[in-house]
Amino acid sequence: MERLDTFTTGPPGGEAEYSNLGYTVLGAALSAAAGAPYEELLNRHVLTPLDITEVTSNPPPAGRLSARGFLGRPLRPWNMSGAILPAGGMWATPRETARLVTKLLVERKLGEPALTWQTSGRLRWHNGVTRGASVFAGALDDGTRVMVHRLSGRPTPIENTAVQILKDATAKPSNQVDGS
């Protein structure tokens, strides 16, 4: 097995790169420093102040949207509990995800968006992919925002769909962005 220091793609301090391991280490460090589990910290410092309630690491089975596999059978959802939880183990309804994006990126209720949001030009975004499911959420500086959730297929089309929605929305007069 290779050593971790051989996996670098550039010099330290250069371009940012997403890392599930990085989120895992950050979550563990925050939990250790605060003496509280990651999910408790997330609720206390982010979700509760934003009045976001439909986010959890363990939703009831009836509240889960599940991707379908061969012959339409539901795929067993990924379980990212324990140390890996900060890297993508939280579940949210599409409505709450959209509310979270609005409050964090548009209204900036907690201040400037965290550096963990990806930035591409005027777009701040984040995505997530698990077996058979993907989500893309982002917002432009002018408040135009998008959230696309997909329960099948590859993640790349979801990003292309989100970018096309944003292009279409910004090409129309502002009074037509909402569908009117």
Side-chain angles (χ1 to χ4, degrees), residues 85-103:
L85 181 66
M90 301 302 291
W91 289 70
T93 64
R95 177 180 54 241
E96 286 296 78
T97 302
R99 288 184 63 229
L100 183 65
V101 167
T102 300
K103 290 179 179 210

Side-chain angles (χ1 to χ4, degrees), residues 9-31:
T9 59
E15 189 173 321
E17 187 173 326
Y18 182 87
S19 166
N20 280 339
L21 176 61
Y23 278 96
T24 299
V25 171
L26 176 61
L30 292 170
S31 293

Side-chain angles (χ1 to χ4, degrees), residues 116-180:
T116 53
W117 286 93
Q118 303 293 317
T119 302
S120 300
R122 299 181 304 128
L123 176 64
R124 293 210 185 185
W125 61 276
H126 202 80
N127 65 354
V129 178
T130 59
R131 179 186 55 208
S134 57
V135 66
F136 180 100
L140 298 173
D141 293 335
D142 68 3
T144 303
R145 52 208 174 268
V146 64
M147 198 275 298
V148 179
H149 182 257
R150 184 174 175 166
L151 287 174
S152 63
R154 297 171 37 106
T156 302
I158 196 170
E159 294 171 356
N160 294 341
T161 300
V163 168
Q164 189 58 54
I165 289 169
L166 286 170
K167 284 181 180 178
D168 292 347
T170 57
K172 298 175 184 175
S174 61
N175 64 347
Q176 293 184 1
V177 172
D178 63 357
S180 55

Side-chain angles (χ1 to χ4, degrees), residues 37-131:
Y38 172 78
E39 188 169 5
E40 182 181 318
L41 296 174
L42 180 66
N43 279 305
R44 184 186 319 154
H45 296 286
V46 179
L47 302 175
T48 299
L50 296 176
D51 193 31
I52 301 291
T53 59
E54 298 175 21
V55 177
T56 181
S57 64
N58 189 25
R64 296 178 179 172
L65 294 174
S66 297
R68 302 283 176 173
F70 185 69
L71 300 176
R73 293 184 184 126
L75 293 174
R76 198 173 89 234
W78 278 18
N79 179 355
M80 294 177 71
S81 60
I84 195 74
L85 181 66
M90 301 302 291
W91 289 70
T93 64
R95 177 180 54 241
E96 286 296 78
T97 302
R99 288 184 63 229
L100 183 65
V101 167
T102 300
K103 290 179 179 210
L104 287 176
L105 298 183
V106 177
E107 298 170 359
R108 300 193 177 183
K109 296 283 185 181
L110 297 180
E112 285 300 306
L115 296 175
T116 53
W117 286 93
Q118 303 293 317
T119 302
S120 300
R122 299 181 304 128
L123 176 64
R124 293 210 185 185
W125 61 276
H126 202 80
N127 65 354
V129 178
T130 59
R131 179 186 55 208

